[in-house]
Amino acid sequence: MTRDSAPISVNAVLAELFTAAADTCRDRSPLTGRLLDDAADDLRRGGVTARIMAGSERDREGTVPGLRFAGAVHRLVLEGRAQGLAKHYPTVGGSPHLPTLWQDALPALEEHADLLRQRVQATVVQTNEPGRSAPLYGGLLVAAQEAAKAAGRSVPFCVRLLEIGASGGLNLRPHHVGYRLEDRVLGDEDSLLVLDPEWTGRPPADLGHRLRVVGRAGCDLNPVDVSTEDGRLHLSSFVWADQLERWRRLRDALDLAATDPVRVDRSAGPEWLAQRLARVERDVLTVVWHSVVWQYVSPADRAMGRAVLADAAAKATPTTPLALLVFEPRRVDGPDAEYRFELLLKLWPAGISLNLGHGEGHGTPFTWDVTRWE
């Protein structure tokens, strides 16, 4: 490979990552899928997208450079910096016309190439999807009740929730959200955020018991301050612009966050978790939680986090139980070897290990289908 040909080859690899990202959202967000397909073609030609992605050509797949690009472009639209492109974006009142999307995007990309490059390099994908509170809520009910049964208690445990990769902390208030079922609303029926969880089946728990959260904390490498306009724009930019239901859900979650602030500490996770788990609370179930964040965690931090959790699990007692509750993509065996998002629960010292079910990456819809977590 010659020096002159190297950048073209690197851009070709990056273009494949853009195409892969387009494939993941094409059916659910035609706008984002088409933008990334066109940007991939532009990368291969060495067009403006190559200038925007300069410095990010060797980013690994897990950092999803295509979605960072799409988020940066969406933010331009939300800020009113791309009037010609805005007509395609429903989040600002537009209606997508895919055949002309790229030609209308080009002037904004050319004008703001430097700003877009800065944002792509400085940001990580943080959907902080509030819809994930729905499976989390059901999983917490199961955890609190199963831990109580194992301890011989008739009343479910109160919960202390510790979230790794909490972003803006939007999923740290599951007890303040309403969850609309056919005949009732679970949780807080007067909440600013009422979700339709779209459940098939029900969690294996008594839904009549109210979830009691007595503590919550979160950490993130890049925490988002959702009390600021910058933070709100940052999270909003990662919502696919033609998914208005998700957009409205996020706006409601941000409004709820304004009434119930939760601090998110800046930390990679393992040391923060060790400090939090060192403080044991009697008659409280401590739940370590993360959702769609594992792919962004370094192998070293994954190993350290597992070691911290194993140490705490070994010290758990019936009156100071510990749980791990995660909603993450897992590879499904089969000819296509696809991934699906599964809700997994472990309880110590009860020795309970359950796969509670599976759903869409944004938390809804979700199917409760309890099996052992091997």
Side-chain angles (χ1 to χ4, degrees), residues 39-114:
D41 291 340
D42 189 60
L43 269 170
R44 295 183 181 97
R45 294 191 299 267
V48 63
T49 311
R51 299 207 309 274
I52 293 169
M53 299 304 296
S56 301
E57 300 95 337
R58 298 185 185 277
D59 286 2
R60 61 186 178 86
E61 182 179 4
T63 68
V64 280
L67 295 186
R68 284 160 37 220
F69 170 85
V73 174
H74 189 192
R75 179 156 180 168
L76 277 187
V77 173
L78 295 175
E79 292 172 331
R81 297 173 184 257
Q83 294 299 325
L85 183 57
K87 63 187 178 183
H88 297 277
Y89 277 68
T91 48
V92 291
S95 179
H97 184 249
L98 301 185
T100 60
L101 174 65
W102 188 250
Q103 70 184 52
D104 289 330
L106 279 173
L109 301 184
E110 294 282 358
E111 180 181 357
H112 300 290
D114 291 340

Side-chain angles (χ1 to χ4, degrees), residues 21 24 59-68 123-129 132 164-167 219-222 234 238 240 246 267-270 290-303 327-329 341 361-362:
T24 66
D59 286 2
R60 61 186 178 86
E61 182 179 4
T63 68
V64 280
L67 295 186
R68 284 160 37 220
T123 195
V124 294
V125 173
Q126 292 181 306
T127 54
N128 208 190
E129 174 56 55
R132 294 174 192 146
I164 306 297
S167 186
C219 74
D220 197 280
L221 270 175
N222 300 280
H234 179 69
F238 288 114
W240 296 333
R246 283 186 64 211
S267 172
H290 57 80
S291 66
V292 197
V293 72
W294 206 233
Q295 73 191 67
Y296 305 113
V297 179
S298 70
D301 282 339
R302 290 185 191 182
F327 183 62
E328 295 285 354
F341 294 83
H362 300 137

Side-chain angles (χ1 to χ4, degrees), residues 2-273:
T2 67
R3 179 183 298 271
D4 291 339
S5 66
I8 297 175
S9 298
V10 170
N11 282 338
V13 173
L14 186 59
E16 291 306 310
L17 295 184
F18 270 55
T19 299
D23 289 341
T24 66
C25 61
R26 197 185 321 278
D27 292 340
R28 291 168 291 166
S29 176
L31 174 66
T32 308
R34 181 61 177 264
L35 177 71
L36 292 178
D37 277 334
D38 289 341
D41 291 340
D42 189 60
L43 269 170
R44 295 183 181 97
R45 294 191 299 267
V48 63
T49 311
R51 299 207 309 274
I52 293 169
M53 299 304 296
S56 301
E57 300 95 337
R58 298 185 185 277
D59 286 2
R60 61 186 178 86
E61 182 179 4
T63 68
V64 280
L67 295 186
R68 284 160 37 220
F69 170 85
V73 174
H74 189 192
R75 179 156 180 168
L76 277 187
V77 173
L78 295 175
E79 292 172 331
R81 297 173 184 257
Q83 294 299 325
L85 183 57
K87 63 187 178 183
H88 297 277
Y89 277 68
T91 48
V92 291
S95 179
H97 184 249
L98 301 185
T100 60
L101 174 65
W102 188 250
Q103 70 184 52
D104 289 330
L106 279 173
L109 301 184
E110 294 282 358
E111 180 181 357
H112 300 290
D114 291 340
L115 175 61
L116 289 168
R117 181 172 64 253
Q118 293 169 11
R119 287 181 172 173
V120 166
Q121 291 182 352
T123 195
V124 294
V125 173
Q126 292 181 306
T127 54
N128 208 190
E129 174 56 55
R132 294 174 192 146
S133 282
L136 168 61
Y137 180 83
L140 289 175
L141 290 178
V142 175
Q145 293 177 33
E146 289 298 324
K149 291 177 187 176
R153 295 165 53 111
S154 59
V155 177
F157 276 98
C158 298
V159 167
R160 176 173 62 135
L161 187 58
L162 305 177
E163 184 175 15
I164 306 297
S167 186
L170 297 185
N171 287 315
L172 277 169
R173 47 187 67 82
H175 55 314
H176 291 322
V177 176
Y179 307 90
R180 184 181 294 109
L181 301 183
E182 291 88 349
D183 55 347
R184 56 180 157 167
V185 175
L186 304 180
D188 184 354
E189 61 184 16
D190 297 319
S191 175
L192 293 171
L193 174 61
V194 178
L195 299 175
D196 178 2
E198 299 182 62
W199 284 349
T200 297
R202 293 291 183 266
D206 183 347
L207 302 184
H209 280 292
R210 196 171 187 88
L211 177 66
R212 296 176 296 160
V213 177
V214 295
R216 58 238 167 99
C219 74
D220 197 280
L221 270 175
N222 300 280
V224 179
D225 184 353
V226 295
S227 70
T228 67
E229 182 62 18
D230 180 72
R232 293 168 69 97
L233 276 171
H234 179 69
L235 292 183
S236 299
S237 70
F238 288 114
V239 175
W240 296 333
D242 46 357
Q243 292 192 323
L244 287 180
E245 182 178 352
R246 283 186 64 211
W247 175 258
R248 288 189 287 266
R249 191 160 64 203
L250 176 63
R251 308 317 288 176
D252 290 345
L254 290 169
D255 289 344
L256 175 60
T259 70
D260 179 36
V262 181
R263 175 180 171 179
V264 178
D265 297 319
R266 185 178 297 276
S267 172
E271 291 183 359
W272 177 89
L273 186 60

